[in-house]
Amino acid sequence: MLKINPNYKRLKESYLFSEIARRVAEYSGEHPEETIIRMGIGDVSLPLCPAVIEEMQTAVREMGQAETFHGYGPEQGYDFLRRGILGYYGEFGVELEADEIFVSDGAKSDLGNILDLFSAENRVFIPDPVYPVYVDTNIMDGREVVFLPARQENGFLPMPPADTAPADIIYLCSPNNPTGAVYSREQLETWVDYAKSHHSLILFDAAYEAFISDDSPRSIYEIQGAKECAIEFCSFSKTAGFTGTRCGYTVVPKALQFDGAQLNHMWLRRQTTKFNGVSYVVQRAAMGVFTPEGRRQTKENIAYYKQNAKCMTDTLDKLGIWYTGGKNSPYVWLRCPDDMDSWKFFDLLLRQIQVVGTPGEGFGACGEGYFRFSAFSSRADTEEAMDRLYRLFK
């Protein structure tokens, strides 16, 4: 008889966004005349920039001619894209080697697939509230997960626990999804020191690094010693609007040595066995991000979303509502007014002002009483939603 992986039975139902959709549909059915503004989406609203489209169209034409057709490409990514990524890291002082970069179809895939390299016996630290992929992929493998509480008191940036046995794998996300909080250089130095002293590995999710506008670290590798204890995951999804195009990259330094094995070689072996690489057309599109015009255009798009975030934080400041995020992140994480729970606040906004966000409880127990707004909507929708919010609570 076929036996299934019993760990899948330990997974909780992913109810958050289905429940949001159910409540919105119910309200829309009752009030079809109302215009609902969605401020909870993690998807982008601006189109791909012209420099990206130009490269993509050139690649499509090449694929239609025998002389320039591309079949199977290198599983690690084409050299032209990896050179662009190397130059990008150089902008904030990080030196890498091309064969430490692995192009993929997105950070989400690699965050789950990287666990192929590690034993199910490893113990894992994961912040709470959290991006659900970190939790679910470890539960699927049967690992012990220890949650690190992220609360208002620690700025939603948990630090190494002094009263808990060390972990083998540590997840960090900065700027954070869902809270928008960003680790300082000193805080990341503490985490790197902790990982090295306990022979632990940090899995560092930097999908939102392009939104950092101050001197906060854009990469874990800005911290001395991080190449000996950290893998970094990055994405073009929020940097350049590739949510539907799918491209990202993972950095696995050659200095990562655990249990007598080099993780760079292990990841290469895994990828060449289980992954055929990202299409030539998509990688050419991604290369457009690193051209001078591409850099300018993607920065303009990010500035657009950051202005949306400023509209939200300015409104919350006027109302005296506590929040984190927004400045260096497309997410604003606020404390629900009047000590409301997350779903009560969700229903209030939906039914009173027809604005939809994301209840913090859906991201973990420590998210209860908090709420996430996204800056990825249009400018007009963002301004209208914040005007409605202000009039509701002023």
Side-chain angles (χ1 to χ4, degrees):
M1 178 184 294
L2 174 71
K3 294 185 181 297
I4 66 167
N5 181 345
N7 294 309
Y8 276 69
K9 296 179 180 179
R10 299 171 54 212
L11 292 170
K12 296 180 181 178
E13 289 298 321
S14 181
Y15 74 95
L16 174 61
F17 293 104
S18 60
E19 178 63 13
I20 289 173
R22 186 193 69 78
R23 296 191 188 202
V24 171
E26 180 182 280
Y27 178 81
S28 296
E30 297 169 355
H31 303 277
E33 75 285 358
E34 298 286 4
T35 300
I36 295 174
I37 301 177
R38 300 175 187 272
M39 300 294 294
I41 59 170
D43 200 357
V44 296
S45 56
L46 294 176
L48 297 170
C49 70
V52 168
I53 294 298
E54 183 178 344
E55 290 291 342
M56 182 182 289
Q57 290 173 336
T58 298
V60 169
R61 287 193 295 270
E62 290 178 357
M63 294 296 285
Q65 301 180 30
E67 297 80 12
T68 52
F69 172 79
H70 287 76
Y72 290 123
E75 290 91 344
Q76 309 95 302
Y78 284 98
D79 287 341
F80 59 76
L81 180 53
R82 295 202 288 176
R83 287 195 299 269
I85 295 169
L86 286 176
Y88 180 66
Y89 270 89
E91 292 180 15
F92 36 93
V94 174
E95 294 184 4
L96 299 172
E97 297 180 34
D99 53 2
E100 294 179 316
I101 296 170
F102 296 81
V103 177
S104 72
D105 61 356
K108 181 178 182 179
S109 299
D110 281 0
L111 280 161
N113 292 333
I114 198 73
L115 296 176
D116 282 3
L117 307 190
F118 310 119
S119 167
E121 297 175 3
N122 287 310
R123 193 164 184 261
V124 183
F125 279 169
I126 298 179
D128 175 6
V130 67
Y131 182 43
V133 170
Y134 307 162
V135 180
D136 290 350
T137 51
N138 278 284
I139 290 176
M140 289 172 181
D141 285 351
R143 290 185 188 83
E144 177 190 2
V145 173
V146 177
F147 289 104
L148 302 181
R151 299 191 173 98
Q152 190 169 334
E153 301 79 61
N154 61 16
F156 285 92
L157 295 167
M159 297 302 293
D163 56 352
T164 303
D168 304 294
I169 299 172
I170 301 163
Y171 284 81
L172 299 178
C173 178
S174 181
N176 185 267
N177 178 17
T179 70
V182 180
Y183 277 109
S184 69
R185 194 170 304 275
E186 293 72 25
Q187 288 172 318
L188 288 183
E189 287 172 351
T190 299
W191 269 116
V192 167
D193 289 343
Y194 177 89
K196 292 180 68 175
S197 64
H198 293 289
H199 305 288
S200 306
L201 175 69
I202 295 172
L203 301 182
F204 190 78
D205 186 349
Y208 299 93
E209 56 80 20
F211 285 84
I212 292 177
S213 55
D214 58 19
D215 62 352
S216 301
R218 305 276 290 273
S219 165
I220 189 71
Y221 303 124
E222 294 181 53
I223 309 304
Q224 186 174 358
K227 290 182 181 180
E228 301 166 24
C229 65
I231 294 175
E232 183 160 287
F233 304 84
C234 301
S235 172
F236 290 100
S237 288
K238 304 311 191 293
T239 300
F242 274 55
T243 51
T245 308
R246 307 311 306 149
C247 195
Y249 53 93
T250 293
V251 181
V252 187
K254 295 177 182 177
L256 287 173
Q257 300 273 351
F258 288 89
D259 198 19
Q262 187 186 62
L263 296 192
N264 181 282
H265 287 168
M266 290 181 68
W267 184 238
L268 176 63
R269 184 68 175 86
R270 189 268 175 204
Q271 292 298 80
T272 53
T273 300
K274 292 188 174 184
F275 185 56
N276 265 338
V278 178
S279 74
Y280 173 72
V281 172
V282 169
Q283 291 195 57
R284 278 291 299 273
M287 186 184 74
V289 174
F290 299 114
T291 65
E293 277 300 291
R295 296 287 289 118
R296 180 184 65 79
Q297 292 164 3
T298 54
K299 285 180 179 179
E300 288 176 355
N301 286 0
I302 290 169
Y304 177 94
Y305 294 131
K306 291 182 74 170
Q307 189 60 38
N308 284 351
K310 186 176 187 303
C311 176
M312 291 189 284
T313 57
D314 284 350
T315 302
L316 296 175
D317 285 337
K318 291 176 185 176
L319 293 171
I321 295 174
W322 186 92
Y323 66 88
T324 187
K327 179 182 178 182
N328 292 313
S329 167
Y331 298 123
V332 177
W333 180 257
L334 62 103
R335 184 166 184 81
C336 299
D338 303 322
D339 294 323
M340 276 184 277
D341 67 45
S342 298
W343 282 108
K344 183 177 180 180
F345 187 61
F346 174 90
D347 288 333
L348 175 72
L349 295 189
L350 174 61
R351 297 190 169 273
Q352 294 295 319
I353 62 173
Q354 296 75 55
V355 171
V356 175
T358 311
E361 179 189 351
F363 296 104
C366 291
E368 176 54 88
Y370 295 87
F371 205 77
R372 190 189 78 173
F373 279 137
S374 162
F376 289 124
S377 296
S378 70
R379 179 66 44 76
D381 280 354
T382 301
E383 291 176 348
E384 174 62 22
M386 291 303 103
D387 181 62
R388 295 180 188 183
L389 184 73
Y390 181 75
R391 286 188 278 112
L392 178 64
F393 285 104
K394 70 177 180 180

